[in-house]
Amino acid sequence: MALQENALAVMADELEFLLFDLLDVQKLTERPRFADHSRETFAAVLRTARDVAGQHFAPHARKSDENEPRFENGKAVVIPEVKEALRHFAEAGFSAATADYEDGGMQLPFAVHMGAGALFAASNIATKSYTSLTAAAANIIASFGTPDQKRLFERPMREGRYFGTMVLTEPQAGSSLADVRTTATPAGDGTYRISGNKIFISGGDHEMGENIVHLVLARLPDAPAGVRGISLFIVPKTLVNQDGTPGERNDVALAGLIHKMGWRGTTSAMLNFGEKGGATGYLVGEPNRGLVYMFHMMNEARINVGSGAAALGYAAYRHALDYARERRQGRPVEAKDATQPQVPIIAHADIRRMLLAQKAYAEGAVALCMFAATLIDDKHTATSEAARKDADDLLEILTPIVKSWPSQWSQETISLAIQVHGGYGYTREYPVEQLYRENRLNAIHEGTHGIQGLDLLGRKVVMNDGRSFELLCARISASANRAIGTPSLAEEGRALVEALARVRAVTAQLTRQMADGRRAEVLANASVYLEALGHVVVAWIWLDQALCARKLLDAGDPRQAALNGKLHACRYFMRWELPRIGPQLDRLEAGDDTWSAMPDDWFH
């Protein structure tokens, strides 16, 4: 069960604060691509998303969880409410929200689109996932496809008539894409015959649209080994004639459905390509560059995963807050008279402790994701090449954090929400147990926590001679110095300065060690590094929110309670959360090998 309409309205207000007050996205309208828009049109998009999500996504969130897709007669059967919700989504224009006008799009900034997406994810992430996958696949075709591929596949996807998927994983390979075995054999007519087996394909089969466009990683006969030999192919479920009419069914078979802990409303398919001689596929771009193209899709998908996780954490926080205000139990610790009325549990200090932690994690995660979304807009539309380069470099180093930090700490948010509910939170009557199951996937798909750690420390920190890392540190330092110059936030600013100095010193040591041939030793602790740097980044995001709130309060903004709540949550994060990184940095600095030194046969 997802957020009710009143809570969605509060979340929309939160997004408006982040987008308009903190990130100033209305300035994007000064750029040619967004010149037809205004703050009012952006706000209208959020209101429309709130209404469509509340009316068509939230009502069947529980039903789709309890009635997961069924495998019947070779097809995946999904409850009808999902198709109806997706129809309303497309009719409201969200399927093509960021696309060009000539492609039927609204040319919305990615940040506004992600804000709207957070409302849908908080309402029903399983149904929303069909739209995210389709948009990402359409973007790949738009970026690297031929004019015919765009006309025949991308445009119907933007219209909401076709759906899309990302087809990477194979049973023997898992996350190791170097071991992909699916083959693509030239057919002599410009097409290819695709043969192989894929698993864990989200949205891999259903009957909710006219077609499903699979983007499949496969190897050509003469391809080199490893990831350098992977190509990308469009493999539609149903072939499409040149005039856009449907052709015959392609050689793509649903082998079965995978039954998951959460996201039960999203089909997770096992697909067989080529049971009857080979599925027809169309090469995207150049041979052996499939992983380069797919990473274009995966990086966007990773940010969407982080945003979805943040939305689930925020939903759990709102549920816990509402419950704590309504549930009466116990009396103040100083009360001696058992005949006095019970108090709402939010009056108890430990409940407030848990709620404040949830607020800090949830609102910090949402803000982090919205900031990353603005970097995508700047990367593509900033007015100078230097600004576009800076945005791209910042986005590179932040993407592993944006994917992993919300996934990890939203799980803690939801766990605390269950705790606030007490025994009721552990039952299916209340929505937080479903949210716990839904979010658990986010630490796994689109690259596990461990993979993101390796990417961050092994690649992103050292890329371009450390330029991305230094750019990030400069942004953090600038915010910290502004806070130090603001009397009410000076303590928080100094705390961030100290944490950043320590992270920079440890990072310099680790990069030297990797350069000296100790790469395996250093990367054994990459997940710890990801968590430590992630906490520093979110502390920075919180400090920026606090600086914004302080400025608004000083100007007499009427949102007194909400803005003071921002200041207090920032104080909590700096006093209680940021110090977590101290012991982690100690172990990183010491080159601790506790887990890597454990021999296999000692695991009894």
Side-chain angles (χ1 to χ4, degrees):
M1 187 182 303
L3 286 181
Q4 300 303 313
E5 289 190 29
N6 64 326
L8 278 172
V10 174
M11 186 176 187
D13 290 342
E14 172 72 10
L15 290 165
E16 288 202 14
F17 165 79
L18 295 174
L19 292 172
F20 301 142
D21 296 312
L22 178 67
L23 300 170
D24 203 16
V25 297
Q26 54 270 33
K27 281 194 173 180
L28 293 175
T29 60
E30 298 171 5
R31 301 176 186 176
R33 180 170 181 79
F34 310 120
D36 292 338
H37 291 291
S38 64
R39 173 171 176 160
E40 289 70 31
T41 63
F42 294 160
V45 168
L46 295 178
R47 288 195 300 271
T48 301
R50 178 197 66 197
D51 293 343
V52 175
Q55 295 168 21
H56 302 289
F57 279 62
H60 70 273
R62 173 59 62 88
K63 183 177 179 180
S64 66
D65 181 67
E66 294 176 341
N67 299 272
E68 58 186 317
R70 306 185 310 278
F71 181 45
E72 294 182 358
N73 301 317
K75 298 179 180 180
V77 180
V78 181
I79 62 170
E81 289 89 342
V82 178
K83 180 177 181 179
E84 183 68 6
L86 296 173
R87 180 179 69 81
H88 284 283
F89 182 93
E91 288 178 353
F94 289 109
S95 294
T98 60
D100 296 343
Y101 291 139
E102 53 265 34
D103 292 327
M106 293 193 286
Q107 289 190 191
L108 281 175
F110 188 81
V112 177
H113 175 55
M114 179 168 280
L119 292 162
F120 287 106
S123 299
N124 187 333
I125 198 166
T127 294
K128 194 258 184 185
S129 67
Y130 294 103
T131 72
S132 301
L133 291 161
T134 301
N139 288 343
I140 286 286
I141 298 172
S143 298
F144 305 108
T146 65
D148 266 358
Q149 290 171 350
K150 295 175 186 179
R151 176 176 61 85
L152 296 174
F153 301 111
E154 181 206 351
R155 186 61 183 266
M157 295 164 79
R158 303 291 191 194
E159 295 169 350
R161 297 191 293 114
Y162 288 9
F163 289 88
T165 69
M166 182 190 307
V167 185
L168 292 77
T169 309
E170 297 181 4
Q172 82 291 337
S175 298
S176 178
L177 297 180
D179 297 310
V180 163
R181 296 177 185 167
T182 297
T183 60
T185 305
D189 60 357
T191 67
Y192 297 79
R193 297 297 172 263
I194 312 298
S195 298
N197 310 107
K198 301 283 189 175
I199 62 170
F200 293 122
I201 309 306
S202 297
D205 194 75
H206 51 78
E207 303 295 317
M208 295 187 295
E210 299 172 23
N211 208 345
I212 301 176
V213 180
H214 301 295
L215 291 184
V216 182
L217 292 181
R219 294 185 181 281
L220 294 167
D222 58 349
V227 295
R228 296 182 183 276
I230 296 174
S231 298
L232 182 64
F233 298 87
I234 293 171
V235 185
K237 178 179 177 178
T238 300
L239 297 175
V240 181
N241 298 318
Q242 276 297 306
D243 62 0
T245 58
E248 63 184 20
R249 174 69 187 266
N250 205 357
D251 190 5
V252 181
L254 175 63
L257 295 176
I258 297 168
H259 301 286
K260 307 180 299 299
M261 175 181 175
W263 293 51
R264 293 178 179 175
T266 307
T267 58
S268 183
M270 297 177 282
L271 297 178
N272 293 339
F273 294 86
E275 288 183 345
K276 300 176 182 178
T280 299
Y282 308 91
L283 179 67
V284 177
E286 300 175 11
N288 303 327
R289 289 183 56 81
L291 202 57
V292 173
Y293 305 144
M294 188 63 87
F295 266 112
H296 180 92
M297 180 178 179
M298 286 174 67
N299 283 336
E300 179 183 325
R302 284 171 173 172
I303 293 168
N304 274 317
V305 168
S307 180
L312 292 175
Y314 188 88
Y317 164 58
R318 298 306 313 184
H319 282 302
L321 181 59
D322 288 346
Y323 183 84
R325 286 171 170 163
E326 294 168 2
R327 170 68 171 173
R328 290 181 171 271
Q329 183 176 317
R331 296 164 185 84
V333 292
E334 68 274 8
K336 305 298 183 183
D337 184 357
T339 66
Q340 290 183 0
Q342 293 183 320
V343 297
I345 62 173
I346 197 170
H348 301 308
D350 200 55
I351 297 294
R352 289 178 183 244
R353 174 188 66 83
M354 291 187 285
L355 288 171
L356 185 52
Q358 290 172 70
K359 179 181 177 69
Y361 301 148
E363 293 182 10
V366 174
L368 170 65
C369 295
M370 293 304 111
F371 172 70
T374 66
L375 293 178
I376 293 178
D377 287 318
D378 287 344
K379 172 184 174 180
H380 294 297
T381 67
T383 54
S384 72
E385 184 177 348
R388 292 191 294 273
K389 172 65 173 169
D390 283 353
D392 191 23
D393 285 346
L394 268 177
L395 189 63
E396 284 284 352
I397 196 168
L398 284 175
T399 294
I401 296 170
V402 174
K403 192 274 178 186
S404 280
W405 198 94
S407 300
Q408 177 181 358
W409 291 97
S410 285
Q411 199 68 9
E412 179 62 17
T413 303
I414 303 168
S415 179
L416 288 170
I418 292 173
Q419 194 74 12
V420 168
H421 281 73
Y424 289 116
Y426 197 65
T427 70
R428 294 186 182 179
E429 278 187 67
Y430 286 80
V432 286
E433 73 84 25
Q434 180 179 337
L435 294 172
Y436 190 89
R437 290 186 287 105
E438 304 279 36
N439 187 63
R440 190 59 188 85
L441 178 60
N442 287 320
I444 300 172
H445 68 162
E446 308 306 340
T448 64
H449 192 65
I451 288 172
Q452 302 304 322
L454 292 171
D455 184 41
L456 177 65
L457 183 55
R459 293 183 60 244
K460 302 300 178 62
V461 164
V462 298
M463 68 186 299
N464 299 327
D465 295 323
R467 184 180 190 277
S468 294
F469 180 73
E470 289 303 321
L471 191 61
L472 175 62
C473 290
R475 294 287 292 267
I476 296 172
S477 181
S479 294
N481 288 330
R482 279 200 297 134
I484 290 171
T486 304
S488 62
L489 291 170
E491 174 191 330
E492 289 79 6
R494 287 191 292 270
L496 186 55
V497 165
E498 292 172 8
L500 180 62
R502 184 82 199 283
V503 165
R504 293 188 74 160
V506 171
T507 301
Q509 175 185 318
L510 297 179
T511 54
R512 286 194 301 270
Q513 290 172 343
M514 287 192 288
D516 290 342
R518 297 167 62 186
R519 186 174 176 83
E521 174 189 326
V522 169
L523 292 181
N525 293 328
S527 293
V528 179
Y529 181 85
L530 169 63
E531 186 172 330
L533 184 57
H535 251 53
V536 171
V537 166
V538 176
W540 163 50
I541 294 293
W542 261 117
L543 194 57
D544 271 355
Q545 289 190 78
L547 285 164
C548 180
R550 182 73 271 160
K551 180 180 178 181
L552 291 169
L553 284 167
D554 290 345
D557 192 288
R559 295 169 291 180
Q560 299 283 308
L563 295 172
N564 277 306
K566 289 289 184 187
L567 293 170
H568 205 77
C570 176
R571 183 171 301 119
Y572 163 81
F573 201 92
M574 295 298 184
R575 290 180 177 179
W576 287 92
E577 292 296 327
L578 190 57
R580 288 177 184 268
I581 72 170
Q584 294 173 320
L585 295 174
D586 289 345
R587 294 294 85 212
L588 288 167
E589 196 170 40
D592 193 288
D593 66 348
T594 300
W595 34 72
S596 57
M598 178 83 165
D600 185 341
D601 62 351
W602 288 7
F603 287 97
H604 273 276

